[in-house]
Amino acid sequence: MNKTIKIDGVEIPFKEGQTIMDAALAADIYIPHLCHKPGLSPHGSCKLCTVDVNGRAASSCTMPAAEGQEIENDTPALNEVRKTITQMLFIEGNHLCPSCEKTGDCTLQAIGYHLGMLDGHFPQFYPRREVDASHPTLVLDRDRCIMCELCVRASRECDGKNVFAISGRGTKRHLIVNSPTGRLADSDIELDDLAAHICPVGAILIKDHGYEVPIGRRTFDLHSVAETDLDEVILTKARHHDEGDDSGEKEGGVYGV
Ligand code: SF4
Ligand code: FES
C-alpha cells in the first residue's frame, strides 16, 4: 500500500527517500522554490519552500516525506513570508528587470509576480559587485546573483568540474570562480556545461544570444511559475540552446530528468 502525506488537505503518495518537495512535484503540486532543482542535491538555502509540517516550519526540499504528515503550503501566511524573502532577495542585489536579458525567463521575477510582490518594500542595498565578461562565450554578472548555488552544484555534480563556489559572509558573501586568476576565462567552464545554463536569474548569461525570444513570448510570459513541468521547460530550453545539439543528453547530468 502506498504511503501518503497530505498537502493542503490533498492526499498524495510518496516513495521512500523522497522529500516533501519531491512528492509534491511528482503530484503536480507547486511549492515555491528557487535553490532546488530535481537531479541536484538539495541545498535548503533560499527558504522559499518553507511549509508547515504538523504545525512546525520546515524546508520542503530537505525534509523527508513521512507517513501521516499534514502539510500546509499554499496559505496566505506562508505566501506572505515568501513574498518578504523575495523582496529581500531583490533589494540585496541589483535587479533591474526591464534592462535584464533574463526578464520573462527569470524565476525570481516570476515568483515575485506569483506572490503579488508590487515593490521591494525594503531600502535598496545597491551593492557594488564585480562583473566578469572575460570568457569568450559567457558573462557572469554578480549584480543579479542570489547565491542559490545551483551553478556550484551543477558544475560539481553534473559537469564533473568545480568552477564556482560561494565565499565570504553576510553582505560580503559572493560567488567566486575557481581559476588561477579568479576570472571565468581562466576556468574550465564550457558553453555546454549545465552550470552555464542553470542560473535562475540573469547572473550567468550566454554572450551573442541576446533577445532572440521577444519579451512577451518568454517562459514566464507563457507559463505561470506555479505550472508544473517548469523545471523541464527550463532544462529543455537549455538543452536546445546550442545549435546542432538536439540530443538533450549529457553524461551524468540532469538534462534527461
Ligand atoms: S550565479 Fe546564478 S546559479 Fe550561480 S549562485 Fe548566483 S544566482 Fe545561483
Ligand atoms: S527550495 Fe527549499 S530552501 Fe530553497
Side-chain angles (χ1 to χ4, degrees):
M1 208 171 83
N2 277 339
K3 293 184 175 178
T4 60
I5 55 177
K6 268 191 189 170
I7 301 184
D8 293 333
V10 177
E11 193 161 17
I12 61 167
F14 71 94
K15 295 194 192 105
E16 209 56 50
Q18 280 188 321
T19 61
I20 293 171
M21 176 70 78
D22 293 333
L25 288 173
D28 291 350
I29 292 174
Y30 177 66
I31 301 176
H33 58 280
L34 269 172
C35 72
H36 178 73
K37 193 76 77 184
L40 294 179
S41 59
H43 196 237
S45 61
C46 76
K47 300 301 173 203
L48 271 177
C49 72
T50 299
V51 292
D52 279 344
V53 183
N54 298 337
R56 298 185 69 169
S59 301
S60 58
C61 70
T62 55
M63 179 88 165
E67 180 71 42
Q69 284 172 335
E70 303 251 354
I71 296 153
E72 290 194 339
N73 166 43
D74 190 13
T75 70
L78 283 167
N79 285 332
E80 195 57 32
V81 174
R82 290 167 179 153
K83 186 168 82 177
T84 302
I85 293 170
T86 309
Q87 287 169 319
M88 290 195 283
L89 287 170
F90 265 93
I91 61 98
E92 282 169 8
N94 297 307
H95 297 276
L96 306 172
C97 298
S99 62
C100 178
E101 209 291 316
K102 194 86 174 198
T103 190
D105 284 329
C106 171
T107 312
L108 178 69
Q109 182 192 48
I111 285 178
Y113 282 127
H114 174 72
L115 296 170
M117 178 185 145
L118 298 177
D119 59 21
H121 182 71
F122 303 103
Q124 286 284 342
F125 278 29
Y126 295 121
R128 292 184 71 86
R129 292 192 186 163
E130 203 182 335
V131 176
D132 182 345
S134 62
H135 195 276
T137 53
L138 302 170
V139 61
L140 169 60
D141 187 344
R142 293 180 176 85
D143 285 310
R144 305 172 188 135
C145 179
I146 55 170
M147 323 286 172
C148 67
E149 296 200 26
L150 280 171
C151 61
V152 177
R153 285 171 283 154
S155 180
R156 193 171 51 222
E157 297 172 15
C158 299
D159 301 332
K161 303 178 183 178
N162 195 20
V163 172
F164 298 107
I166 297 286
S167 177
R169 300 176 70 116
T171 54
K172 301 231 178 331
R173 201 158 170 257
H174 64 288
L175 186 73
I176 58 170
V177 175
N178 293 319
S179 72
T181 59
R183 298 187 330 150
L184 215 48
D186 300 315
S187 74
D188 52 359
I189 194 167
E190 294 170 287
L191 182 58
D192 65 349
D193 287 354
L194 182 57
H197 298 274
I198 203 165
C199 183
V201 293
I204 301 175
L205 293 174
I206 314 299
K207 285 183 176 175
D208 302 327
H209 283 271
Y211 297 96
E212 282 173 349
V213 178
I215 292 169
R217 287 175 29 205
R218 298 180 168 203
T219 308
F220 300 113
D221 299 324
L222 305 175
H223 307 267
S224 152
V225 74
E227 284 179 346
T228 54
D229 293 338
L230 204 50
D231 286 318
E232 183 57 24
V233 169
I234 292 165
L235 290 174
T236 301
K237 283 162 68 81
R239 72 174 165 245
H240 290 302
H241 188 276
D242 298 326
E243 281 180 10
D245 173 17
D246 57 0
S247 69
E249 297 297 330
K250 189 170 170 64
E251 196 179 346
V254 298
Y255 281 34
V257 171

